[in-house]
Amino acid sequence: MMTQQSNNFGNRSVRRRGDGLTFATASLLIWTGCASPAIVAPKPLELGPPAGMQTHASQFVGSLLSGPQDGEYQTDRLVACMVEVCLLRDAPGSTLDPLAPELGLVARLQGQTPVQGGSRLAVGGRWALGVEADAAWSGITSGDWGDTKELESQAVLLPLGTTYRLKFSAEEQVEDPENFLREWPDRGAVQKSLSVGIQYGWIDSKPSLLTGFALGDLVQAESETELTTVPDEGGRPGGDFLMEEWILPSRGPELNGGSVVWVLPSPFELQGAGSVAIRVRTWAGDEENVDPQLLESSLALLESGAQGKFATDGPETEEQAIRRQRVRAMQYVRETRERHVAGEPGQGEALRNALVYVCSQVALPLGMDLCIAAEVDWLNGWVALIPDPSLRDGATVDALGWDVERAAWVHLARTMVKGDLPDSLMALVLRHGGEAGHYPSSLEDAARNSLDAATFEARIEMENRLFLEDASPAARVRAFDWLQRRGLEPSDWDPLGTKEERTAPLREWLTKFENGEGA
């Protein structure tokens, strides 16, 4: 029973001129350094969750390690819990006790095999119990420990025999340094996660609470099977693979009430947070003295789980319906490619038509242009780089669309490096990428390391702004035209003006971006 809430000169038509982003950036830095020796300290990353982070809550019959199981629960034995989670910019240092000595079990959930040993979550992890926990949480939430940001706060009522799990997940692009020649397909985005779970069950013949934490991240291949097979998330054999690891501290919250605080290293990148702080508070209850609404909602969660329904969704929402349709359309594209590769007649144009449908539904302007201009064999290579949507649990509609667009940019960049990109497609690259489109290494890097389309567009915009300072008039014109079509060009500025005419207004305009003021 389970419920869930939820370098590169490959193109022969382009002159060799080095990497555009590196040259433009270096020129800007040298010019700025000569004009003003003052060093401005970079602004710290805004504290917040990683882009596209999803939060899932589930309640089920079963244990932390077993997951959902068939069975019964007892409503005459209840415990109420409050779970609070927040981000910390800095680690807690030695203020709290180290967590590692408290670990009773470390379990890697591949084959449900428990293994004794260290844990990445425990390295640097800290904890406190009772009064010390309340004092620590007060220091965290008051800002005494530095910047903090609340992530989630949920109350839940656990009948005996049930487990509650709160899971945070986010996708990240993690490069494989051993696959720099691209002998193997990219593994795509990695779904990292951090979970807190509370189990109310029988331990040593008495009702007890057990708290655990799970880390979903890449780990090194070790066994013969792991070293020779392709990971489920893609990549090369023997590369890192995705693993979920649970740690179960030997001490935690008590049935009769109290607080426990844990501060764990953050598994996520790009969020300005060094740690995740979690507090669990408990108080005993029964059907007579607990909040009736809390009891009703908790039992409804379990009962709806038994019927195979989502806990809080009810009827399918509009966004869920759109996502289901997108997944189905993307799966059809993959199936059509497989039939085309197998040599079935007529599948080439069927592939083009299927791609047109997907790109029109997700509003992908580059994708639509490629569907019209590219040969079927090129489209085949594009589709090969799109991640399997059935393996993208939790991905939003926009994230699925970015999977398609990112694969297109990566395939374009790699075809440019090989010198095989037709002029018609090169024209599309320059239309959509501006002057930055002449540099495939920069394009691929931008696409692979952008978590969404907005991040990629912002990076391409930044590169084109830097090209306004290029020594080549043609490069300046191309970058200016690209920005102008988007209403992003500097006003009263001529890319073909003299250096004296260009320098002062351009510097003033660029400074606004450096200061975060925009155009």
Side-chain angles (χ1 to χ4, degrees):
M1 296 180 184
M2 181 173 181
T3 62
Q4 182 170 333
Q5 298 175 312
S6 321
N7 109 43
N8 292 295
F9 314 109
N11 191 284
R12 294 186 290 264
S13 66
V14 179
R15 295 179 296 163
R16 299 170 63 114
R17 53 178 177 261
D19 187 285
L21 178 56
T22 302
F23 177 80
T25 305
S27 300
L28 182 60
L29 290 175
I30 292 172
W31 168 65
T32 305
C34 293
S36 176
I39 299 175
V40 179
K43 295 181 180 179
L45 284 172
E46 181 181 354
L47 186 62
M53 191 185 78
Q54 302 289 314
T55 303
H56 305 273
S58 57
Q59 191 171 350
F60 51 86
V61 173
S63 69
L64 291 171
L65 298 185
S66 74
Q69 302 285 306
D70 291 330
E72 297 180 352
Y73 53 87
Q74 300 178 228
T75 58
D76 59 338
R77 294 174 180 262
L78 301 169
V79 62
C81 304
M82 173 66 75
V83 181
E84 301 162 277
V85 185
C86 70
L87 298 177
L88 291 175
R89 185 176 298 279
D90 304 313
S94 58
T95 308
L96 307 179
D97 293 332
L99 177 61
E102 296 294 328
L103 295 188
L105 181 71
V106 177
R108 284 185 172 182
L109 292 190
Q110 191 174 71
Q112 301 284 325
T113 304
V115 293
Q116 298 291 337
S119 163
R120 287 171 296 167
L121 275 180
V123 175
R126 299 276 172 172
W127 83 296
L129 179 67
V131 176
E132 289 80 6
D134 291 332
W137 194 256
S138 177
I140 291 171
T141 56
S142 67
D144 291 348
W145 288 27
D147 292 346
T148 64
K149 185 176 181 65
E150 181 180 344
L151 271 187
E152 191 66 53
S153 177
Q154 288 196 10
V156 61
L157 195 63
L158 288 173
L160 182 62
T162 65
T163 294
Y164 170 78
R165 180 174 180 176
L166 183 61
K167 181 177 182 179
F168 303 92
S169 59
E171 291 186 340
E172 292 182 7
Q173 290 291 333
V174 183
E175 296 287 343
D176 182 355
E178 300 297 326
N179 194 33
F180 64 95
L181 294 179
R182 306 288 189 259
E183 295 101 332
W184 293 90
D186 295 327
R187 62 183 163 210
V190 175
Q191 187 90 7
K192 293 187 177 184
S193 64
L194 176 65
S195 301
V196 53
I198 307 171
Q199 169 188 325
Y200 182 27
W202 295 95
I203 302 177
D204 296 332
S205 302
K206 63 180 182 180
S208 304
L209 282 177
L210 182 64
T211 305
F213 306 95
L215 172 68
D217 202 352
L218 294 174
V219 299
Q220 291 183 342
E222 295 177 356
S223 71
E224 187 64 30
T225 299
E226 294 168 355
L227 290 168
T228 55
T229 60
V230 176
D232 292 338
E233 60 274 10
R236 62 182 175 85
D240 297 343
F241 65 99
L242 195 62
M243 172 73 73
E244 186 174 74
E245 171 189 275
W246 278 92
I247 60 171
L248 307 180
S250 56
R251 290 191 289 171
E254 299 291 340
L255 285 175
N256 59 356
S259 297
V260 188
V261 168
W262 298 267
V263 181
L264 307 175
S266 171
F268 303 117
E269 304 290 341
L270 304 175
Q271 64 178 30
S275 304
V276 178
I278 302 167
R279 179 169 73 161
V280 174
R281 292 182 291 144
T282 60
W283 59 97
D286 54 46
E287 291 182 279
E288 283 72 35
N289 64 13
V290 299
D291 184 340
Q293 291 185 340
L294 183 59
L295 176 61
E296 182 181 356
S297 63
S298 296
L299 295 179
L301 288 178
L302 290 165
E303 292 303 322
S304 62
Q307 300 165 20
K309 297 179 181 178
F310 288 105
T312 60
D313 291 344
E316 186 178 50
T317 66
E318 181 179 358
E319 183 169 352
Q320 289 172 335
I322 293 173
R323 186 189 184 281
R324 175 173 50 80
Q325 293 168 0
R326 299 275 168 84
V327 169
R328 183 182 301 170
M330 292 170 66
Q331 288 174 326
Y332 179 73
V333 169
R334 292 171 59 87
E335 294 166 0
T336 307
R337 174 185 176 272
E338 292 172 359
R339 292 192 292 269
H340 172 62
V341 172
E344 292 188 22
Q347 294 305 304
E349 285 309 308
L351 176 61
R352 187 190 303 278
N353 294 337
L355 275 170
V356 168
Y357 177 79
V358 167
C359 293
S360 64
Q361 292 297 303
V362 192
L364 304 178
L366 173 65
M368 287 296 293
D369 289 347
L370 290 172
C371 290
I372 297 171
E375 298 293 337
V376 170
D377 287 344
W378 193 93
L379 298 177
N380 180 71
W382 171 18
V383 174
L385 295 175
I386 301 174
D388 186 344
S390 67
L391 303 178
R392 299 276 277 116
D393 290 343
T396 64
V397 171
D398 290 340
L400 292 173
W402 175 233
D403 284 348
V404 178
E405 189 93 338
R406 174 163 48 199
W409 280 110
V410 171
H411 191 38
L412 284 167
R414 294 179 183 178
T415 311
M416 290 173 66
V417 170
K418 295 176 183 178
D420 295 336
L421 193 68
D423 291 343
S424 58
L425 298 191
M426 187 64 207
L428 293 179
V429 172
L430 298 181
R431 176 187 175 189
H432 292 277
E435 180 61 12
H438 278 123
Y439 303 94
S441 61
S442 295
L443 282 179
E444 180 170 354
D445 179 69
R448 287 170 53 82
N449 291 289
S450 295
L451 292 175
D452 50 43
T455 303
F456 176 78
E457 186 73 14
R459 180 161 176 175
I460 297 301
E461 179 186 329
M462 177 196 71
E463 295 186 18
N464 278 282
R465 289 201 304 268
L466 295 177
F467 275 115
L468 297 179
E469 192 56 26
D470 198 275
S472 166
R476 297 196 301 270
V477 168
R478 285 189 290 262
F480 181 84
D481 287 348
W482 186 88
L483 291 165
Q484 188 179 49
R485 287 198 301 270
R486 290 159 174 77
L488 303 172
E489 82 285 1
S491 60
D492 301 323
W493 188 83
D494 184 358
L496 298 180
T498 66
K499 184 176 182 179
E500 292 73 16
E501 293 171 336
R502 302 194 317 269
T503 300
L506 182 60
R507 180 178 181 182
E508 180 182 356
W509 183 73
L510 290 173
T511 300
K512 293 182 179 180
F513 288 99
E514 295 170 4
N515 294 334
E517 300 173 11

